[in-house]
Amino acid sequence: MNDSDDFPEDSVNPQARTTVMYVNASVYSPVDPFATAILVDGPTVAWLGSDSAAHAMAGDQTTVKDVEGAVITPSFVAHQRITDTAQMVSAAQGYGAVELLSEDAEMLVDAVNRATEAGLVALPILIHPVTDATGLERVGAPRSCLGIQADAAQDRDALVDAVTAHLVACSEGRYQAVVVCGGGVGGNAEAAPSSVIDAVLEAAQRTTDRVGERAFRSRGHRIVGVGELSDEQCEELARHALTVSSRPGAAPLTALARAGVPLTLMTDAQNPWQAVKDALEAEEPRHRTSARAAFLALTRGVWRAQRDAQPLAGQLAPGAEASLAMWDADSLMVQQASGTGASWSTDPRARTPALPALDDPRLPACERVVVAGDITFE
C-alpha cells in the first residue's frame, strides 16, 4: 500500500490504468450517504464506504490519497450557446462535461475539439431544422440529436408548422429533437414566453397524433430555455415526456417537479455552485427548489437528458464512470428552499446525502476534477 500524498507520475497519464483510493472525504452518493472513501479503478468507480474499510481493502497496487476533508461530488455539466465571443468553461471550475449548442456546424466542431482538449466531455447539439426524416443524415449532426430554434417573433402558425415538421422528422428518424426557446444562459438571456411553449406543446400533440405516443415519448425530446409556466403547461409537458431545461430562477421548479417533468438546469457560471444557490434562493417562491434537487438537475439530470449516456452517468456508485470533483467547503447540510420540501428530508434518519452549505457568500472552491479516471484539474 502506498501512503504517500503524491500521485505516481503515471497517474495523470490517460494510457495508464491506475487504482486510487481517496480517503478522509465526504462523498456525495445515493448508495452510501455517509461514505468517506471512494475507490477509482481506471475509468470506473469500484467501491465506496468508510475510511477504516478503505484502508483494510487497499492493496499494494492501490494509491491511497488523503483529501483532507474535501467534499467529493459528481462533476457539474455546463451548458453553452457557442458564439464567436463565447469563452469555454473549464475543468478548473468543477465541470466535467459541457453541452454545446450552435447553428454553425464548423463552429460546433471547433468547440467540441477545444472542450475535449481541455479535458471536458463534449455534448454537441447542432441547431438545424429539418422537414423530413430523409434530411437527417445530410445535415451531418455530430450525434443523433438535432435542434430547432423556436423564435418568439415568428408567426404562431408558422412556428407550430416548423416545430411539428422537425419533431416528426426526428421521431421517425430515431433522433432526439431539441427545441431551443431561449437565448442561452448569460445574464441578459431571456426565457421563452408562455406563447412559445403553447406553440411547442401544440406541435408535440400534432406529432404524437401522426407518429404515435410511443414513438414520440421514446425519443426523449427536449425543450431548452423554458421560463414561466402554468400548472396546465407543466402537466402537458409531463404527458408528452418532454425534458425541460431552464436557467435557475426562470421556471417554476416546484410545479415541474410536482407534475413529474424531467428537468435540467443550465449554467456556465464561473462557480457552478452559484447556480445551485440561485435555484435555492430564487426570488419567486415557485421558482425555488432544494439544493439537492438543483444539484441533481446540474449533474445527473443533464446526463439523463442525453439519449446516448450511460445509465449511471452523473452519480458516484459502483460501476459508474469515475467523473468527479473535489471541493473545499466549510460545512455540509441538507438545504431545503424556503416554502418547499418536507422537514423529514433534513433529518439524518432520512439518509439524504448532504451538500456544501450555501448560506454564506463563500462558495465551495474546486480542488481537483477527475473525468473517466483521468485527472483534468488539480
Side-chain angles (χ1 to χ4, degrees):
M1 182 173 68
N2 184 352
D3 290 315
S4 171
D5 281 349
D6 296 324
F7 285 98
E9 291 183 359
D10 65 356
S11 67
V12 294
N13 180 357
Q15 302 302 319
R17 182 179 182 86
T18 60
T19 303
V20 182
M21 180 77 80
Y22 296 105
V23 299
N24 191 16
S26 294
V27 183
Y28 185 87
S29 171
V31 176
D32 183 351
F34 305 119
T36 57
I38 183 169
L39 177 64
V40 174
D41 184 16
T44 306
V45 174
W47 173 89
L48 48 85
S50 68
D51 281 355
S52 58
H55 285 291
M57 69 183 296
D60 293 340
Q61 302 303 313
T62 301
T63 298
V64 177
K65 176 66 178 178
D66 185 340
V67 298
E68 301 178 347
V71 181
I72 300 180
T73 71
S75 54
F76 284 88
V77 183
H79 178 101
Q80 291 195 303
R81 184 76 174 256
I82 299 303
T83 65
D84 291 330
T85 59
Q87 182 175 355
M88 188 74 66
V89 297
S90 72
Q93 297 164 318
Y95 294 109
V98 56
E99 285 190 321
L100 301 167
L101 283 70
S102 180
E103 299 94 338
D104 187 309
E106 292 185 3
M107 190 179 293
L108 187 61
V109 169
D110 177 69
V112 168
N113 291 336
R114 287 188 288 123
T116 302
E117 291 171 0
L120 299 169
V121 176
L123 303 169
I125 301 172
L126 179 64
I127 302 173
H128 187 110
V130 290
T131 56
D132 59 76
T134 61
L136 291 172
E137 296 299 330
R138 292 196 299 271
V139 171
R143 57 196 184 113
S144 59
C145 65
L146 201 62
I148 181 173
Q149 184 72 46
D151 189 350
Q154 191 174 3
D155 174 78
R156 188 184 189 282
D157 290 341
L159 176 57
V160 172
D161 288 344
V163 174
T164 299
H166 189 81
L167 289 174
V168 168
C170 289
S171 297
E172 292 180 341
R174 299 182 179 275
Y175 268 54
Q176 179 186 48
V178 181
V179 183
V180 183
C181 300
V185 296
N188 297 323
E190 294 186 2
S194 182
S195 59
V196 171
I197 302 301
D198 281 338
V200 174
L201 287 171
E202 181 177 340
Q205 185 58 59
R206 288 188 182 183
T207 305
T208 299
D209 292 341
R210 176 165 171 176
V211 304
E213 183 173 331
R214 179 179 177 182
F216 183 85
R217 292 169 61 94
S218 67
R219 305 299 180 244
H221 300 317
R222 300 174 58 188
I223 305 181
V224 172
V226 171
E228 190 57 81
L229 299 166
S230 67
D231 289 347
E232 291 75 15
Q233 287 174 323
C234 292
E235 291 168 2
E236 281 296 293
L237 289 165
R239 189 171 68 83
H240 290 295
L242 290 165
T243 296
V244 162
S245 298
S246 174
R247 291 181 293 111
L253 303 184
T254 52
L256 287 164
R258 186 167 54 247
V261 178
L263 175 70
T264 83
L265 289 177
M266 307 184 302
T267 187
D268 59 358
Q270 286 285 353
N271 189 321
W273 289 104
Q274 185 62 54
V276 179
K277 187 178 178 71
D278 290 345
L280 182 69
E281 302 174 354
E283 182 176 353
E284 292 291 332
R286 65 191 257 108
H287 294 173
R288 300 171 191 158
T289 192
S290 68
R292 176 176 179 269
F295 177 77
L296 292 176
L298 288 155
T299 54
R300 186 181 182 186
V302 184
W303 287 108
R304 284 186 166 182
Q306 316 298 321
R307 289 189 63 214
D308 49 1
Q310 296 296 319
L312 295 177
Q315 60 181 315
L316 300 181
E321 183 178 85
S323 293
L324 52 89
M326 300 183 192
W327 306 91
D328 174 18
D330 291 334
S331 59
L332 301 178
M333 64 185 300
V334 177
Q335 300 157 97
Q336 288 287 357
S338 176
T340 67
S343 60
W344 66 265
S345 62
T346 63
D347 191 308
R349 291 171 296 181
R351 295 179 62 83
T352 303
L355 287 167
L358 301 175
D359 54 357
D360 63 56
R362 180 185 180 275
L363 294 174
C366 185
E367 296 183 334
R368 181 179 288 109
V369 173
V370 176
V371 175
D374 296 329
I375 298 172
T376 56
F377 167 73
E378 66 174 336

